[in-house]
Amino acid sequence: MRDVAEATNLSVATVSRHINGSIKLPRDTMERIDSAIQRLNYRPNPHARSLSLGRTESIGVVIPDIANPFFARLAAAVERAAAAYGLGVMLCATLNQKERELDYLQRLARNHVDGLIFVTNRVDDGEVARAINAAKAVVVMDEDVDGTTASKIFADNERGGALAARHLIAAGHRRMAYLGGAASLMSTRERLRGFQSAIDEAGLDPALTAGFFGSYTIAHGLEAARAMLDAPEPPTAVFAASDEIALGVLTVCRDRGIRIGRDLSLVAFDDVGPLDLFDPPLTAIRQDVDSMGWQSVVRMLDAIKGEDHQAAPQRVPVELIVRASVGPPVR
Amino acid sequence: MRDVAEATNLSVATVSRHINGSIKLPRDTMERIDSAIQRLNYRPNPHARSLSLGRTESIGVVIPDIANPFFARLAAAVERAAAAYGLGVMLCATLNQKERELDYLQRLARNHVDGLIFVTNRVDDGEVARAINAAKAVVVMDEDVDGTTASKIFADNERGGALAARHLIAAGHRRMAYLGGAASLMSTRERLRGFQSAIDEAGLDPALTAGFFGSYTIAHGLEAARAMLDAPEPPTAVFAASDEIALGVLTVCRDRGIRIGRDLSLVAFDDVGPLDLFDPPLTAIRQDVDSMGWQSVVRMLDAIKGEDHQAAPQRVPVELIVRASVGPPVR
DNA sequence: CTGAAAGCGCTTACAG
DNA sequence: CTGAAAGCGCTTACAG
């Protein structure tokens, strides 16, 4: 910048102000500066700017695993929204480990980025919550971290559970299974609550629905599917609380010759994989990932500006996508 | 840091040196500093450090689209490797637009990050190549950018094509189709070359294999599949140069009642989606995404250190994963 | 309208 | 072994 100043016989102050648009210069002065910038191929140093300004014009997104399609799409949505607001995105994969969550919270909360969009998949023991509350601008997305005062963006899990149950009940199912993630995870609990409320609403016996809890993984889907099918009275329909769990169910059924949609009905949750290409195409509750990503950035901007965030978590609507994995109950 | 220095009656220089491990202090001095850091909850400001040092301890990864499973897994692999080396990762999605590629190259090449791992999916007209050559440490991965002198990591595309062709030929196919991405893309050309070389090798008539070029997308898969099936003499087998293209083929076939693996054989390329759960499970050439991501970071570190990179692109092996989408030819 | 100067928070060559 | 001081490249309150 000094070179530009010297080349134009101006001070760095003037050059700086012009670059940042905080001043309106006579046309020819402007042109002189611009051409010097071109000629010298000058690029501002963002770290000097950050150091001086105390902000970085970038945000961090902390996510369990980018290779998981759901989180990948979430990260993509955040990135797109951030780019639209001129913000860079620092990507942090925690592999769902507490240590890494805390590490990023520390490294990033302090100066490295202006704010953090935080997505976890674990149950916190309070330590992460403390770190989040100590950080400046954090938006908690997708899964709650208990005891945090941050802005929050969640799917309407409860309604999703209810939509799934109503669809299954309408097809005639009574004996059902719910395959959730960790039992203490907000999303798992809410999806279950919605599911049960629809059962109540229909006047059915809630005791006929069994719950299997573990994690939002294919591995848990495999395990839970086996346990469920090996029970003395197996269900005629299952609601998998994530795409991944549904994939596990699909695999077990294929191995055992159980035809989904005929011998067993299945509704998934997330709808980010190409579920329409599976065998059979899977009916699912779809999360609006793009909207969640976008809104998290908007909330983040508010938080950075120090606007007092709304107290209540924002709920993003979900939708039932009917395909071919639900049929009437057999047996 | 000044607070820590004052609290310990040392100079900031000493504190700085201790924090960076560039000095060995008497035990009690060390403890004094450490406890002051604790007490004052001191965290170093990375921007000041970057400004002073001229490097940032973070790298950028430029990728067409994180929501695409292949790129998502690539980004995840890069992130994991980078974290292992203590590097942060700045994520940049270009949506495969030249403007955004150049933008990131400029914004990042100059100081924002120490280096860039660059993945594109477009054919460059020379402008991006110039920007890459002007930047400091760039590693080009997955797809070539013509005319760049950067380190390069590619899959062994040619061998992948050959493996696919041999598998199909062994099943008895003679009339085949190759569904590629853009005809001028290195990966598309190489996969085709490998495919053709295996045909030659088997002494078969190369004219029996038709090529359909477009992009690595579901949309192109749909279009190409229709064109191919509507031809006067449709092929009995197809090699799709990406998972996405294969998904397009799958969709068209399902709509038309064509049974993959029976009426038409299919081999995909990438193998990052849950291809084993599709209908039928798809045979594919698998890219070793983890290895590519890891090696790109290693190369990047070399480039940052200024070590002269190897001239030749590094080739990462591919593998044929046999599932159920290939059978003998019909008709 | 424009500039000199202080300050952002580090690192490190140079002295002692 | 330790420190004073310059410097990294910006921004902006304060003067003029």
Side-chain angles (χ1 to χ4, degrees):
Chain A
M1 188 149 125
R2 182 151 37 85
D3 295 342
V4 174
E6 279 168 9
T8 52
N9 281 320
L10 292 164
S11 69
V12 290
T14 302
V15 175
S16 169
R17 285 192 268 247
H18 171 246
I19 287 175
N20 293 304
S22 63
I23 201 184
K24 199 165 155 36
L25 260 27
R27 172 176 293 284
D28 70 317
T29 316
M30 271 174 60
E31 278 165 3
R32 241 186 327 144
I33 297 180
D34 289 338
S35 83
I37 288 176
Q38 284 291 325
R39 189 155 29 83
L40 300 171
N41 190 28
Y42 165 74
R43 308 261 163 245
N45 180 322
H47 296 103
R49 185 161 210 274
S50 294
L51 182 58
S52 188
L53 242 33
R55 57 189 156 81
T56 68
E57 256 114 53
S58 67
I59 62 175
V61 40
V62 174
I63 234 162
D65 180 15
I66 334 161
N68 173 310
F70 176 71
F71 296 127
R73 293 235 0 233
L74 214 43
V78 168
E79 210 274 350
R80 210 170 315 127
Y85 284 105
L87 297 171
V89 169
M90 196 90 198
L91 182 64
C92 316
T94 60
L95 309 177
N96 226 28
Q97 291 163 13
K98 173 179 165 182
E99 298 316 320
R100 297 193 59 156
E101 291 183 348
L102 290 171
D103 190 48
Y104 282 124
L105 241 12
Q106 291 218 336
R107 263 177 48 189
L108 302 180
R110 180 76 182 179
N111 286 318
H112 216 131
V113 292
D114 295 343
L116 221 51
I117 293 178
F118 191 88
V119 183
T120 186
N121 217 340
R122 291 186 324 105
V123 192
D124 177 41
D125 58 9
E127 205 169 349
V128 169
R130 254 193 310 284
I132 288 177
N133 287 337
K136 9 176 89 162
V138 177
V139 171
V140 171
M141 180 159 64
D142 177 52
E143 188 66 68
D144 200 13
V145 180
D146 238 56
T148 48
T149 55
S151 280
K152 299 180 181 185
I153 312 270
F154 302 134
D156 192 346
N157 294 305
E158 194 160 338
R159 181 167 161 72
L163 288 173
R166 282 188 210 131
H167 185 60
L168 257 13
I169 291 168
H173 295 278
R174 297 299 176 260
R175 183 175 297 283
M176 301 185 281
Y178 171 70
L179 309 198
S184 43
L185 236 35
M186 179 197 73
S187 59
T188 285
R189 287 207 316 266
E190 290 183 345
R191 289 165 202 179
L192 175 59
R193 195 186 313 142
F195 197 80
Q196 289 174 328
S197 73
I199 290 176
D200 280 355
E201 193 180 274
L204 302 178
D205 179 2
L208 290 178
T209 292
F212 296 82
F213 303 94
S215 63
Y216 290 126
T217 59
I218 296 187
H220 169 59
L222 294 168
E223 195 178 334
R226 291 195 191 104
M228 163 188 99
L229 293 169
D230 291 341
E233 293 204 273
T236 62
V238 19
F239 172 38
S242 84
D243 278 2
E244 304 283 298
I245 294 175
L247 296 194
V249 175
L250 218 54
T251 304
V252 168
C253 289
R254 206 190 46 221
D255 292 348
R256 298 195 178 191
I258 296 169
R259 295 163 305 174
I260 296 282
R262 313 213 34 189
D263 306 326
L264 180 72
S265 289
L266 174 62
V267 175
F269 198 107
D270 286 344
D271 199 37
V272 299
L275 262 37
D276 54 320
L277 295 175
F278 287 176
D279 174 22
L282 297 189
T283 292
I285 306 298
R286 174 180 292 173
Q287 298 207 54
D288 190 345
V289 171
D290 288 338
S291 170
M292 290 173 75
W294 188 274
Q295 295 192 44
S296 70
V297 171
V298 172
R299 288 286 193 112
M300 160 87 10
L301 258 15
D302 288 347
I304 290 173
K305 274 183 273 166
E307 288 177 19
D308 49 0
H309 59 88
Q310 295 158 247
Q314 179 149 344
R315 291 292 174 170
V316 179
V318 297
E319 190 185 356
L320 171 71
I321 307 293
V322 176
R323 287 190 275 250
S325 60
V326 173
V330 294
R331 200 169 40 103
Chain B
M1 190 149 123
R2 180 150 41 83
D3 296 341
V4 174
E6 278 167 11
T8 52
N9 281 320
L10 293 164
S11 69
V12 290
T14 301
V15 174
S16 170
R17 285 192 268 246
H18 171 246
I19 288 175
N20 292 304
S22 64
I23 201 183
K24 199 165 156 33
L25 258 28
R27 171 177 295 283
D28 71 317
T29 316
M30 271 173 62
E31 279 165 3
R32 238 178 337 137
I33 298 180
D34 289 339
S35 82
I37 288 176
Q38 284 290 325
R39 189 152 30 83
L40 300 171
N41 190 29
Y42 164 75
R43 306 263 163 243
N45 180 322
H47 296 102
R49 183 160 212 274
S50 293
L51 182 57
S52 188
L53 242 32
R55 56 189 156 80
T56 67
E57 255 114 54
S58 67
I59 62 175
V61 40
V62 174
I63 234 161
D65 180 15
I66 335 162
N68 173 310
F70 175 71
F71 296 127
R73 294 235 359 231
L74 215 43
V78 168
E79 211 273 351
R80 211 170 313 129
Y85 284 104
L87 298 170
V89 169
M90 198 88 198
L91 182 64
C92 316
T94 61
L95 309 177
N96 226 28
Q97 292 165 12
K98 172 180 166 183
E99 297 317 319
R100 298 194 59 157
E101 291 181 348
L102 290 171
D103 190 46
Y104 282 124
L105 240 14
Q106 290 218 335
R107 263 178 46 192
L108 302 180
R110 180 76 181 179
N111 286 320
H112 218 131
V113 292
D114 295 343
L116 222 51
I117 293 178
F118 191 87
V119 183
T120 185
N121 216 340
R122 291 186 323 103
V123 191
D124 177 43
D125 58 7
E127 205 170 346
V128 169
R130 256 194 310 283
I132 287 178
N133 287 336
K136 12 174 89 163
V138 177
V139 171
V140 171
M141 181 159 62
D142 177 53
E143 188 67 68
D144 201 14
V145 179
D146 238 56
T148 48
T149 56
S151 281
K152 300 182 181 184
I153 313 269
F154 302 135
D156 192 345
N157 294 305
E158 194 160 339
R159 181 166 160 74
L163 287 173
R166 282 188 211 131
H167 185 61
L168 257 12
I169 291 169
H173 295 279
R174 297 298 176 261
R175 185 177 297 280
M176 302 184 281
Y178 172 70
L179 310 198
S184 43
L185 235 36
M186 178 198 74
S187 59
T188 285
R189 288 207 315 266
E190 290 183 345
R191 290 166 201 179
L192 174 60
R193 195 186 314 141
F195 198 80
Q196 289 173 326
S197 73
I199 291 176
D200 281 352
E201 192 181 275
L204 302 177
D205 180 2
L208 290 178
T209 292
F212 296 83
F213 304 93
S215 63
Y216 291 126
T217 59
I218 296 186
H220 169 59
L222 293 167
E223 195 178 334
R226 291 195 192 105
M228 161 187 100
L229 293 169
D230 291 340
E233 292 202 273
T236 61
V238 18
F239 172 39
S242 83
D243 279 2
E244 305 284 297
I245 294 176
L247 296 194
V249 175
L250 218 54
T251 304
V252 168
C253 288
R254 206 190 46 222
D255 291 349
R256 297 195 178 192
I258 296 169
R259 295 162 304 175
I260 296 281
R262 312 212 36 189
D263 306 326
L264 180 72
S265 288
L266 175 62
V267 175
F269 198 106
D270 286 345
D271 198 37
V272 299
L275 262 38
D276 54 321
L277 295 174
F278 287 175
D279 174 23
L282 297 190
T283 292
I285 306 298
R286 173 180 293 172
Q287 298 209 51
D288 190 345
V289 171
D290 289 338
S291 169
M292 289 173 75
W294 188 274
Q295 295 192 45
S296 69
V297 172
V298 172
R299 288 284 194 114
M300 160 88 8
L301 259 14
D302 288 347
I304 290 173
K305 274 182 273 167
E307 288 176 18
D308 49 0
H309 59 88
Q310 295 158 248
Q314 179 150 344
R315 290 292 175 171
V316 179
V318 297
E319 191 185 356
L320 171 70
I321 306 292
V322 176
R323 286 191 277 251
S325 60
V326 173
V330 293
R331 199 169 44 102

